């Protein structure tokens, strides 16, 4: 049967989650491997998800007063070296351009791994007075990091992302910005991508190279591992001092600026796949699905069927639904499997008997049964169906997160739980780097973040046993 | 006076057009120079123009069935070399990556100067059968070309662009696509950017490296020099043969695909500046202006003025106008000059007496006088005002083009006209490369294109005097 043939192409997730993931991103035509390790082609279906994520985020960036810019892709070695912690963090993993045309360059240029140094260089030229502040900039671009291990969406050597970079007159303003953008990320993750998040602060060990504070949203994938889905950094005046970004305040005094940066990437697409997918393939949240509804005519050769399907296509387009009609000569069974694989939220079937009865059949990808819908109520029922899938995905992911979040009093206990059940561990931590490193070295367990919503899950650090008042969420991370 | 102070910051275009151009792109805050020659920062105001151009184009691409993708930024040297004409055209001007992290690479990778090779590599993997065709892909990205001479927007070493790449089953389909996309470019140039174009085919000498035919839209700048504003190429099966892109047709025969590519870039922004700007600065076509209307309150300290201005801001936003209120403490005179410099199409002034009379004052950036408008009719009058500026800009540019397009019978005559009056020359050409090169070497005059709209402006080639039936538009190009 055509349907079985399609489905057997992917490995069951219970058998081999990593292989299931690779199968899905390939079979659903999200990605193609290029000839260079870690560099991927985002195919139309994968890129369209990114465009929908971009649209949601960009709207929120602009609504909060941000403006887009474009910075150069190349950073002179001397510029990268200006902020010490930053260069230490990134220099080992950048790609170097040494020749332009036929000439050897006087100074090596790296392809941006992130653009703090470029934004700072620009800000040092254009910020003069308090009137120029704040500058709230963002850019959509690709960056390069020469990773050893690579995986589609999760770890590319080149990935698409957005990076916000802002300068402010005061610490308070910059800190507010840092947290505001984390909230924007959490909003998009939860309400667009249907991915519940844990918001919190990163430990010293896990924070961004050059930042005073890093905040993150952390998500749990279907296999109960953690995905860091977005970060927001408060820099203090460290970069401003290194790059001499100063302004004259209202009292005519010269001050250093306070800065932030924040980023999310196409990694979010990997997150969507691993949060919502199942053994039939991808399952996409309707809000970012490139195709929200696929119309599949049944008994297409019969008179009137194709015309009726085309009329529905036009009608749903008019209603602002992202809709596709598959009028190819493949069998309905093949098509059912194909769009399940591609994670289309709603399938609309219509055959001669439906047409006669003034109805069609709606089948949600997850969270519901086949329903027969009167064409009179089509737009409303489609909206209800899409909302239903969006909510079902969120609740399924939230249930997974809740069911796989545990508490532990000791490192051993934490490791045993993760070994047996996977998931996240909430446990107290004394704040010492040594304890964090012990957990990582012994069990590959890392701190995800220090959640804003703290709980008293114990009294002492899970490693050293010293009295502790900080709860950390721990896990195995992608 | 504040206004004079602002205006004196830019060189008069009649004194030094090149300096005027550089002054405008800097003072209007479109661009900032980075630390690396030929790499520029697109500042928010400049980037917002690009976003509006993107939106117009992307909508038209999608309406004609195209899909966006993302290809890797790096091309292995061996891949770049697969199509001979193409590598000869681009290899001398690419940037080479030789190191990734701390390791020296086994094979050099170039940063894409254009992505034919990457698209072809991908197509060779995903195209199998006639069912897979056509593939109509586009990508928005940046590319690098290591130019010797660089200028903001006109010639960057890194520039933003879009590149469409399509594969088709038949020559006819591919040729139709090539011309369709040229029409899309012409439509955007004329109806969004208010830049009249000459559509035509490039000569053999001027065509793209690897193309069978290249088509272009050519525009005349205010200084009467030419700007190539967009190109569309028909490749035949040359790339398909080099990259082995084949498909099984309906008769079960294996065939090579026919291909096209087409591109436009941020060069269009340079075109807007040089087509519409004047000695007061930029003048932006309303359809792509980041700010279409700026509200400048007069006597802002008086009670009610600022509230009234804010009410108008909200009202115009609701009406879908891109509107800004400048409520800073600068003088109205300073503001008038500032937004003239920035080319904002309409200025809305409102003071206490206007409020009392239920009116405001609208001042178009070009093509009209100050008018007093009743607030009752504001939305309609703003629309009329914006349409008026859009049309005035187009007509001014069209008049410039018409008034500076001449005919010539000989090379000498052509050179004398361009020397004296500048502009474009329509003249017959025999088709010989030698004649084209003679004109370029002796007078720096190059063929712009062979217009679709041919005229009988003579009988013989302007260089060799042989009978000729092809009219070419010639000029001095950016």
């Amino acid at each position: 049967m055509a349907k079985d043939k399609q489905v057997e192409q992917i490995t069951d997730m219970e058998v081999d989650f990593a292989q299931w993931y690779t199968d899905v991103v390939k079979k659903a035509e999200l990605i193609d491997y290029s000839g260079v390790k870690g560099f991927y082609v985002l195919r139309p279906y994968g890129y369209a998800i990114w465009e929908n994520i971009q649209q949601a985020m960009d709207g929120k960036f602009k609504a909060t007063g941000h403006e887009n810019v474009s910075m150069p892709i190349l950073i002179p070695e001397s510029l990268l070296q200006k902020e010490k912690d930053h260069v230490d963090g990134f220099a080992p993993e950048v790609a170097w351009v040494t020749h332009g045309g036929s000439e050897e360059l006087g100074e090596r240029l790296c392809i941006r791994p992130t653009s703090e140094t470029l934004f700072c260089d620009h800000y040092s030229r254009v910020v003069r007075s308090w009137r120029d502040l704040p500058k709230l900039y963002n850019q959509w671009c690709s960056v390069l990091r020469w990773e050893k291990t690579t995986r589609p969406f999760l770890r590319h050597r080149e990935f698409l992302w957005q990076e916000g970079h802002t300068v402010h007159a005061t610490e308070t303003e910059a800190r507010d910005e840092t947290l505001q953008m984390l909230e924007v990320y959490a909003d998009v993750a939860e309400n667009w991508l249907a991915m519940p998040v844990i918001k919190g602060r990163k430990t010293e060990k896990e924070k961004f190279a050059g930042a005073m504070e890093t905040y993150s949203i952390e998500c749990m994938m279907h296999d109960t591992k953690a995905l860091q889905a977005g970060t927001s950094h408060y820099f203090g005046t460290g970069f401003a001092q290194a790059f001499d970004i100063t302004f004259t305040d209202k009292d005519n005094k010269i001050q250093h600026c306070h800065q932030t940066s924040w980023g999310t990437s196409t990694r979010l697409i990997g997150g969507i796949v691993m949060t919502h997918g199942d053994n039939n393939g991808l399952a996409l949240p309707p809000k970012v699905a490139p195709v929200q509804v696929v119309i599949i005519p049944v008994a297409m050769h019969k008179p009137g069927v194709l015309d009726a399907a085309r009329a529905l296509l036009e009608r749903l387009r008019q209603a602002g639904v992202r809709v596709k009609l598959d009028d190819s000569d493949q069998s309905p069974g093949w098509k059912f499997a194909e769009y399940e694989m591609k994670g289309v939220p709603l399938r609309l079937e219509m055959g001669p008997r439906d047409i006669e009865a003034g109805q069609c059949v709606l089948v949600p990808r997850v969270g519901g049964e086949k329903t027969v819908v009167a064409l009179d109520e089509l737009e409303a029922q489609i909206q209800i169906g899409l909302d239903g899938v969006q909510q079902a995905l969120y609740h399924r992911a939230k249930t997974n997160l809740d069911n796989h979040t545990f508490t532990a009093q000791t490192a051993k206990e934490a490791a045993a739980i993760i070994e047996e059940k996977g998931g996240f561990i909430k446990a107290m931590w004394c704040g010492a780097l040594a304890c964090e490193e012990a957990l990582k070295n012994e069990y590959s367990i890392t701190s995800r973040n220090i959640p804003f919503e703290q709980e008293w899950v114990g009294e002492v650090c899970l490693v050293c046993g010293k009295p502790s008042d900080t709860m950390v969420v721990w896990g195995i991370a992608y």
Side-chain angles (χ1 to χ4, degrees), chain A residues 10 21 27 94 99 108 146 150 200 291-292 312-313 335 340 376 406 418 443 474:
Chain A
I10 63 170
Y21 176 75
K27 302 287 181 200
V94 297
H99 290 74
R108 295 200 298 179
W146 217 260
T150 60
V291 178
Q292 296 172 311
L312 285 196
L313 175 73
K335 292 178 189 176
E340 260 179 57
D376 289 350
F406 309 99
I418 285 188
Y443 306 110
W474 309 85

mmCIF file of all heavy atoms in Angstrom, chain A residues 10 21 27 94 99 108 146 150 200 291-292 312-313 335 340 376 406 418 443 474:
data_model
loop_
_atom_site.group_PDB
_atom_site.id
_atom_site.type_symbol
_atom_site.label_atom_id
_atom_site.label_comp_id
_atom_site.label_asym_id
_atom_site.label_seq_id
_atom_site.Cartn_x
_atom_site.Cartn_y
_atom_site.Cartn_z
ATOM 1 N N ILE A 10 10.849 6.144 7.088
ATOM 2 C CA ILE A 10 11.512 6.716 8.258
ATOM 3 C C ILE A 10 11.600 5.706 9.394
ATOM 4 O O ILE A 10 10.704 4.897 9.610
ATOM 5 C CB ILE A 10 10.845 8.034 8.745
ATOM 6 C CG1 ILE A 10 9.404 7.818 9.197
ATOM 7 C CG2 ILE A 10 10.934 9.129 7.704
ATOM 8 C CD1 ILE A 10 8.815 9.042 9.899
ATOM 9 N N TYR A 21 15.164 11.534 13.358
ATOM 10 C CA TYR A 21 15.280 12.973 13.105
ATOM 11 C C TYR A 21 15.876 13.235 11.724
ATOM 12 O O TYR A 21 15.336 14.018 10.933
ATOM 13 C CB TYR A 21 16.145 13.622 14.197
ATOM 14 C CG TYR A 21 16.399 15.093 13.970
ATOM 15 C CD1 TYR A 21 15.400 16.029 14.209
ATOM 16 C CD2 TYR A 21 17.631 15.538 13.491
ATOM 17 C CE1 TYR A 21 15.629 17.373 13.987
ATOM 18 C CE2 TYR A 21 17.863 16.877 13.273
ATOM 19 C CZ TYR A 21 16.865 17.799 13.520
ATOM 20 O OH TYR A 21 17.075 19.131 13.291
ATOM 21 N N LYS A 27 13.233 13.493 4.433
ATOM 22 C CA LYS A 27 12.037 13.039 3.714
ATOM 23 C C LYS A 27 10.967 14.127 3.640
ATOM 24 O O LYS A 27 10.174 14.157 2.712
ATOM 25 C CB LYS A 27 11.422 11.804 4.386
ATOM 26 C CG LYS A 27 12.358 10.617 4.490
ATOM 27 C CD LYS A 27 12.594 9.930 3.177
ATOM 28 C CE LYS A 27 13.528 8.745 3.385
ATOM 29 N NZ LYS A 27 14.190 8.307 2.162
ATOM 30 N N VAL A 94 36.385 30.080 14.009
ATOM 31 C CA VAL A 94 35.978 30.892 12.863
ATOM 32 C C VAL A 94 36.667 30.429 11.587
ATOM 33 O O VAL A 94 37.694 29.763 11.618
ATOM 34 C CB VAL A 94 36.247 32.401 13.077
ATOM 35 C CG1 VAL A 94 35.439 32.927 14.241
ATOM 36 C CG2 VAL A 94 37.725 32.689 13.237
ATOM 37 N N HIS A 99 42.708 35.337 1.071
ATOM 38 C CA HIS A 99 42.947 35.874 -0.267
ATOM 39 C C HIS A 99 41.680 36.507 -0.818
ATOM 40 O O HIS A 99 40.600 35.942 -0.697
ATOM 41 C CB HIS A 99 43.393 34.762 -1.230
ATOM 42 C CG HIS A 99 44.759 34.233 -0.943
ATOM 43 N ND1 HIS A 99 45.021 33.406 0.124
ATOM 44 C CD2 HIS A 99 45.945 34.437 -1.577
ATOM 45 C CE1 HIS A 99 46.320 33.114 0.141
ATOM 46 N NE2 HIS A 99 46.904 33.721 -0.883
ATOM 47 N N ARG A 108 44.255 38.977 7.922
ATOM 48 C CA ARG A 108 43.223 37.967 7.765
ATOM 49 C C ARG A 108 41.862 38.543 8.148
ATOM 50 O O ARG A 108 41.758 39.357 9.073
ATOM 51 C CB ARG A 108 43.487 36.773 8.680
ATOM 52 C CG ARG A 108 44.734 35.991 8.360
ATOM 53 C CD ARG A 108 44.650 34.599 8.961
ATOM 54 N NE ARG A 108 44.556 34.629 10.426
ATOM 55 C CZ ARG A 108 44.455 33.529 11.173
ATOM 56 N NH1 ARG A 108 44.425 32.336 10.594
ATOM 57 N NH2 ARG A 108 44.383 33.613 12.493
ATOM 58 N N TRP A 146 32.977 26.995 13.014
ATOM 59 C CA TRP A 146 33.567 25.779 12.476
ATOM 60 C C TRP A 146 33.462 24.629 13.472
ATOM 61 O O TRP A 146 34.445 24.199 14.050
ATOM 62 C CB TRP A 146 35.022 26.036 12.064
ATOM 63 C CG TRP A 146 35.358 25.274 10.820
ATOM 64 C CD1 TRP A 146 36.042 24.098 10.745
ATOM 65 C CD2 TRP A 146 35.006 25.619 9.484
ATOM 66 N NE1 TRP A 146 36.127 23.684 9.445
ATOM 67 C CE2 TRP A 146 35.494 24.589 8.639
ATOM 68 C CE3 TRP A 146 34.288 26.675 8.898
ATOM 69 C CZ2 TRP A 146 35.324 24.612 7.254
ATOM 70 C CZ3 TRP A 146 34.119 26.682 7.525
ATOM 71 C CH2 TRP A 146 34.621 25.672 6.727
ATOM 72 N N THR A 150 28.427 18.101 13.404
ATOM 73 C CA THR A 150 27.340 18.892 12.824
ATOM 74 C C THR A 150 26.096 18.039 12.637
ATOM 75 O O THR A 150 26.190 16.819 12.470
ATOM 76 C CB THR A 150 27.765 19.476 11.454
ATOM 77 O OG1 THR A 150 28.091 18.405 10.563
ATOM 78 C CG2 THR A 150 28.979 20.377 11.596
ATOM 79 N N GLY A 200 15.134 31.584 32.159
ATOM 80 C CA GLY A 200 16.026 31.762 33.296
ATOM 81 C C GLY A 200 17.369 32.338 32.896
ATOM 82 O O GLY A 200 17.584 32.686 31.733
ATOM 83 N N VAL A 291 2.115 25.232 4.695
ATOM 84 C CA VAL A 291 0.790 24.844 4.191
ATOM 85 C C VAL A 291 -0.040 24.478 5.406
ATOM 86 O O VAL A 291 0.302 23.546 6.129
ATOM 87 C CB VAL A 291 0.889 23.639 3.229
ATOM 88 C CG1 VAL A 291 -0.497 23.217 2.753
ATOM 89 C CG2 VAL A 291 1.802 23.955 2.054
ATOM 90 N N GLN A 292 -1.116 25.219 5.642
ATOM 91 C CA GLN A 292 -1.949 24.939 6.817
ATOM 92 C C GLN A 292 -3.009 23.902 6.501
ATOM 93 O O GLN A 292 -3.388 23.095 7.355
ATOM 94 C CB GLN A 292 -2.606 26.229 7.312
ATOM 95 C CG GLN A 292 -1.581 27.259 7.793
ATOM 96 C CD GLN A 292 -2.215 28.597 8.099
ATOM 97 O OE1 GLN A 292 -2.979 29.134 7.285
ATOM 98 N NE2 GLN A 292 -1.915 29.157 9.264
ATOM 99 N N LEU A 312 -12.824 25.503 -3.650
ATOM 100 C CA LEU A 312 -12.469 25.563 -2.219
ATOM 101 C C LEU A 312 -11.102 26.206 -2.021
ATOM 102 O O LEU A 312 -10.887 26.977 -1.084
ATOM 103 C CB LEU A 312 -12.464 24.164 -1.605
ATOM 104 C CG LEU A 312 -13.808 23.515 -1.316
ATOM 105 C CD1 LEU A 312 -13.607 22.337 -0.368
ATOM 106 C CD2 LEU A 312 -14.786 24.522 -0.706
ATOM 107 N N LEU A 313 -10.164 25.852 -2.895
ATOM 108 C CA LEU A 313 -8.822 26.436 -2.826
ATOM 109 C C LEU A 313 -8.923 27.958 -2.845
ATOM 110 O O LEU A 313 -8.352 28.650 -1.983
ATOM 111 C CB LEU A 313 -7.995 25.951 -4.028
ATOM 112 C CG LEU A 313 -6.601 26.542 -4.194
ATOM 113 C CD1 LEU A 313 -5.646 25.975 -3.150
ATOM 114 C CD2 LEU A 313 -6.039 26.273 -5.601
ATOM 115 N N LYS A 335 -1.018 10.528 -1.226
ATOM 116 C CA LYS A 335 -1.082 11.933 -0.800
ATOM 117 C C LYS A 335 -1.299 12.042 0.703
ATOM 118 O O LYS A 335 -0.693 12.902 1.362
ATOM 119 C CB LYS A 335 -2.194 12.667 -1.555
ATOM 120 C CG LYS A 335 -1.923 12.840 -3.042
ATOM 121 C CD LYS A 335 -3.090 13.532 -3.752
ATOM 122 C CE LYS A 335 -2.881 13.499 -5.261
ATOM 123 N NZ LYS A 335 -4.053 14.084 -5.974
ATOM 124 N N GLU A 340 1.030 13.889 5.679
ATOM 125 C CA GLU A 340 1.305 13.544 7.078
ATOM 126 C C GLU A 340 2.792 13.689 7.336
ATOM 127 O O GLU A 340 3.210 14.305 8.313
ATOM 128 C CB GLU A 340 0.871 12.106 7.363
ATOM 129 C CG GLU A 340 -0.482 12.031 8.057
ATOM 130 C CD GLU A 340 -0.913 10.596 8.304
ATOM 131 O OE1 GLU A 340 -0.168 9.844 8.963
ATOM 132 O OE2 GLU A 340 -2.007 10.251 7.811
ATOM 133 N N ASP A 376 -20.962 25.333 4.142
ATOM 134 C CA ASP A 376 -21.434 26.637 4.634
ATOM 135 C C ASP A 376 -20.565 27.179 5.756
ATOM 136 O O ASP A 376 -20.404 28.377 5.912
ATOM 137 C CB ASP A 376 -22.852 26.508 5.234
ATOM 138 C CG ASP A 376 -23.886 26.267 4.162
ATOM 139 O OD1 ASP A 376 -23.513 26.390 2.974
ATOM 140 O OD2 ASP A 376 -25.044 25.941 4.521
ATOM 141 N N PHE A 406 11.900 16.275 37.064
ATOM 142 C CA PHE A 406 12.016 15.616 38.367
ATOM 143 C C PHE A 406 12.841 16.487 39.302
ATOM 144 O O PHE A 406 13.473 17.450 38.873
ATOM 145 C CB PHE A 406 12.695 14.253 38.181
ATOM 146 C CG PHE A 406 12.053 13.410 37.111
ATOM 147 C CD1 PHE A 406 12.610 13.346 35.840
ATOM 148 C CD2 PHE A 406 10.880 12.707 37.357
ATOM 149 C CE1 PHE A 406 12.018 12.584 34.839
ATOM 150 C CE2 PHE A 406 10.287 11.947 36.362
ATOM 151 C CZ PHE A 406 10.855 11.882 35.101
ATOM 152 N N ILE A 418 17.929 10.499 35.259
ATOM 153 C CA ILE A 418 18.117 10.795 33.825
ATOM 154 C C ILE A 418 18.435 9.514 33.065
ATOM 155 O O ILE A 418 17.938 9.294 31.956
ATOM 156 C CB ILE A 418 19.196 11.880 33.635
ATOM 157 C CG1 ILE A 418 18.609 13.246 34.024
ATOM 158 C CG2 ILE A 418 19.704 11.901 32.194
ATOM 159 C CD1 ILE A 418 19.475 14.434 33.724
ATOM 160 N N TYR A 443 28.670 12.926 34.324
ATOM 161 C CA TYR A 443 27.388 12.428 33.805
ATOM 162 C C TYR A 443 26.910 13.109 32.512
ATOM 163 O O TYR A 443 25.793 12.842 32.057
ATOM 164 C CB TYR A 443 26.299 12.601 34.867
ATOM 165 C CG TYR A 443 26.615 11.983 36.210
ATOM 166 C CD1 TYR A 443 26.875 12.782 37.328
ATOM 167 C CD2 TYR A 443 26.654 10.578 36.366
ATOM 168 C CE1 TYR A 443 27.142 12.223 38.572
ATOM 169 C CE2 TYR A 443 26.935 10.020 37.599
ATOM 170 C CZ TYR A 443 27.176 10.832 38.703
ATOM 171 O OH TYR A 443 27.448 10.275 39.918
ATOM 172 N N TRP A 474 18.632 21.130 35.296
ATOM 173 C CA TRP A 474 19.732 20.393 34.675
ATOM 174 C C TRP A 474 19.205 19.424 33.641
ATOM 175 O O TRP A 474 18.065 18.965 33.743
ATOM 176 C CB TRP A 474 20.493 19.576 35.737
ATOM 177 C CG TRP A 474 20.929 20.347 36.941
ATOM 178 C CD1 TRP A 474 20.204 20.611 38.057
ATOM 179 C CD2 TRP A 474 22.206 20.963 37.147
ATOM 180 N NE1 TRP A 474 20.940 21.351 38.962
ATOM 181 C CE2 TRP A 474 22.182 21.574 38.419
ATOM 182 C CE3 TRP A 474 23.379 21.050 36.378
ATOM 183 C CZ2 TRP A 474 23.270 22.264 38.952
ATOM 184 C CZ3 TRP A 474 24.460 21.736 36.901
ATOM 185 C CH2 TRP A 474 24.403 22.337 38.185
#
